[in-house]
Amino acid sequence: MKQTPNINLPILEQGDKYLKETQNEAFSVIDREIAGLNSAISVFDNVEGSIIDTKSDVETLKNETNTLKASLNDVSSNVIPNIQTSLDNNAKNEKDIFEQNYKSGLEFQRQLGVCCNTTPLDNELIIKLKNDGFKYARVSVYWYGVETTKGIYNFSKADNEINSIINNGMTPHIILFGGNTLYGENNLSILTEDGLNGWCNFVNEVVKRYKDKNIQWEIWNEPWNNSFWQPFTVTSGKYYANLVKRTYPIIKSIDKTGTVVGTSMINFDLRFSDWYELACKFGMLNYLDKVSLHYYSKNTTYPERDIQEFYDKVRQINHKYSKNNIPLIVTEGGYSVAPNGEDVVTESERSKYIPRMLLLNMINGVDGFSIYEIRSKKLDSSNSEDWFGLLNSDNSHTTSYTALIDMIKELDGYSYLERIQTNENDYILKFIDNKNNFKYAYWTVGNEHTIVLNGRECIITDTVNYLSTSEKHSLYNAS
């Protein structure tokens, strides 16, 4: 029996191959059956013409011959048309699946977000982000800021930001964050039962207030980081896992449209993966819709390698503790261009790396990416945190922002299909739109050289370039 095509093959090409193989096998079976029937009829016809003494034997042979002829007629008039109808239906079903995958890929392409944690949001900025192609704005709601008197919640600041995001056509990505000294906790962790009960009440109030808006709810920010969880040790992973297990059911019971993400795991230090694995041991993965990651590469000569190793490591741990293929989402990622800072790049380098990071997420099936940060303060040339912004303080564009917007425009309406394998240094990504047109995005981490795409010579460099083509896929052109 034919097996369903391997999902690791490009979806459109595997469909063509599957349908052709299925059709060929079906007609091969029919041909063999017809040949067998004709052979049998020929035998009986020869026997009928021979000298047979018993008249009843002749009549019996004639009856069997007529039965075989009737069977052959039935194959021709009924079986073959039914098989053809079945093949046509299969083809339609396969095409429906391809179109569904196309739509899914297109939706993924539009999962571009931006972090606004250090940037005051106003309508003008949100409208600009929406018009430039961003879907999500990532903001925080702080427990200790909302509940300053026990049992009384003040959402005025959160309302201004979140309602402005919603009213201007973007979707909030809300970080639920912070402890509360009213419950015996410090502001950067939750360790006690009293603290957990107070936190759950806070979560209940927040989610009820903003539910039914397709919000991505992120449980805490960087709980592996001593700046955001104190005291931090590797063993604090079990406390975060408990927090997730208590928070997830509240959100899902109130907001049927919400998605729950968590961990904001980073790629720098092995001890962070030890913390992550401990949280997984305590059952955390059963209470997340997506695992959130933060990506900040220190390998400025080959960030692609860092990304691949990071995603592979997280998935390896996930598979160890969960049977579910939990999606990954990057909720922070970017580069600082501080002139005198540590672990920084130049603006020219950043303008190359950010589009490449986004495209690498498509290759790795990562479900969305939020750029950190939208606007730079640029107060201190040695403070890297002040120089992550893609916009200047007056909302004018950096070179990196312009490169990102160019990429969004180039790939608007296109869905990612596959990476074309040539060598490990060249990245050639193939996309398709809903009119069956292909487009390529390509770059290299090696030296500049010439490649041939769709019969055309192209110079491939460390900057992402694009090639449109009139090439169409045969499945969608079939009558």
Side-chain angles (χ1 to χ4, degrees), residues 11 17 26 42 96 105 126 186 216 221 229 287 340 428 442:
I11 185 67
K17 181 179 178 182
S42 177
D96 288 344
I126 295 171
N186 68 55
Q216 292 186 149
N221 178 67
W229 187 284
Y287 297 87
N340 301 311
I428 304 172
Y442 56 94

Side-chain angles (χ1 to χ4, degrees), residues 291-439:
V291 170
S292 59
L293 306 176
H294 288 181
Y295 176 76
Y296 295 98
S297 176
K298 290 186 177 181
N299 186 350
T300 57
T301 59
Y302 197 172
E304 286 77 0
R305 184 169 295 152
D306 278 355
I307 289 176
Q308 191 65 57
E309 291 175 354
F310 180 34
Y311 294 162
D312 288 348
K313 176 65 175 178
V314 172
R315 284 188 167 123
Q316 179 184 1
I317 297 174
N318 289 354
H319 293 159
K320 182 176 179 180
Y321 294 99
S322 175
K323 295 180 180 179
N324 299 323
N325 186 20
I326 301 175
L328 306 181
I329 179 172
V330 175
T331 56
E332 279 189 25
Y335 292 89
S336 174
V337 293
N340 301 311
E342 295 182 358
D343 301 322
V344 299
V345 297
T346 65
E347 179 60 40
S348 175
E349 289 172 328
R350 183 172 71 165
S351 69
K352 299 173 184 178
Y353 295 157
I354 287 180
R356 283 159 54 173
M357 288 168 64
L358 292 171
L359 293 171
L360 286 162
N361 279 333
M362 294 183 183
I363 293 175
N364 284 280
V366 175
D367 194 15
F369 191 103
S370 289
I371 304 292
Y372 185 87
E373 160 90 3
I374 187 53
R375 188 189 281 152
S376 280
K377 297 178 183 178
K378 296 186 177 179
L379 300 177
D380 181 349
S381 64
S382 62
N383 184 354
S384 299
E385 281 293 322
D386 284 356
W387 294 77
F388 275 94
L390 296 181
L391 294 176
N392 296 310
S393 57
D394 61 356
N395 286 350
S396 61
H397 295 190
T398 64
T399 306
S400 300
Y401 191 86
T402 300
L404 177 59
I405 300 308
D406 288 345
M407 188 201 77
I408 294 172
K409 291 177 181 177
E410 285 283 355
L411 297 179
D412 182 33
Y414 280 85
S415 178
Y416 171 69
L417 283 179
E418 62 175 324
R419 177 186 176 188
I420 297 175
Q421 295 291 342
T422 53
N423 58 67
E424 69 171 7
N425 287 337
D426 290 356
Y427 288 79
I428 304 172
L429 278 59
K430 192 174 186 179
F431 296 81
I432 189 172
D433 69 5
N434 59 3
K435 296 181 180 179
N436 321 326
N437 298 305
F438 288 125
K439 180 174 280 193

Side-chain angles (χ1 to χ4, degrees), residues 57 120 136 143 154 185 195 234 308 352 368 479:
D57 289 343
Y136 286 97
W143 180 23
N154 181 353
E185 303 284 0
V234 169
Q308 191 65 57
K352 299 173 184 178
S479 57

Side-chain angles (χ1 to χ4, degrees), residues 232-266:
F232 171 79
T233 65
V234 169
T235 58
S236 64
K238 65 181 179 181
Y239 292 104
Y240 179 72
N242 195 34
L243 184 71
V244 170
K245 291 162 75 171
R246 294 284 292 271
T247 306
Y248 181 87
I250 298 172
I251 297 174
K252 300 302 280 189
S253 66
I254 298 171
D255 186 1
K256 304 303 181 185
T257 70
T259 302
V260 182
V261 309
T263 78
S264 46
M265 180 67 186
I266 202 167

Side-chain angles (χ1 to χ4, degrees), residues 181-245:
T181 57
L182 297 174
Y183 294 84
E185 303 284 0
N186 68 55
N187 285 343
L188 294 176
S189 62
I190 299 176
L191 305 175
T192 68
E193 186 62 26
D194 192 32
L196 277 171
N197 290 333
W199 165 267
C200 289
N201 291 334
F202 157 72
V203 171
N204 183 74
E205 293 295 323
V206 177
V207 178
K208 282 194 303 183
R209 195 172 191 86
Y210 306 116
K211 66 177 181 177
D212 301 330
K213 301 294 190 300
N214 298 303
I215 290 172
Q216 292 186 149
W217 301 96
E218 188 164 13
I219 304 173
W220 216 267
N221 178 67
E222 298 188 355
W224 45 265
N225 186 340
N226 193 57
S227 296
F228 299 103
W229 187 284
Q230 295 178 1
F232 171 79
T233 65
V234 169
T235 58
S236 64
K238 65 181 179 181
Y239 292 104
Y240 179 72
N242 195 34
L243 184 71
V244 170
K245 291 162 75 171

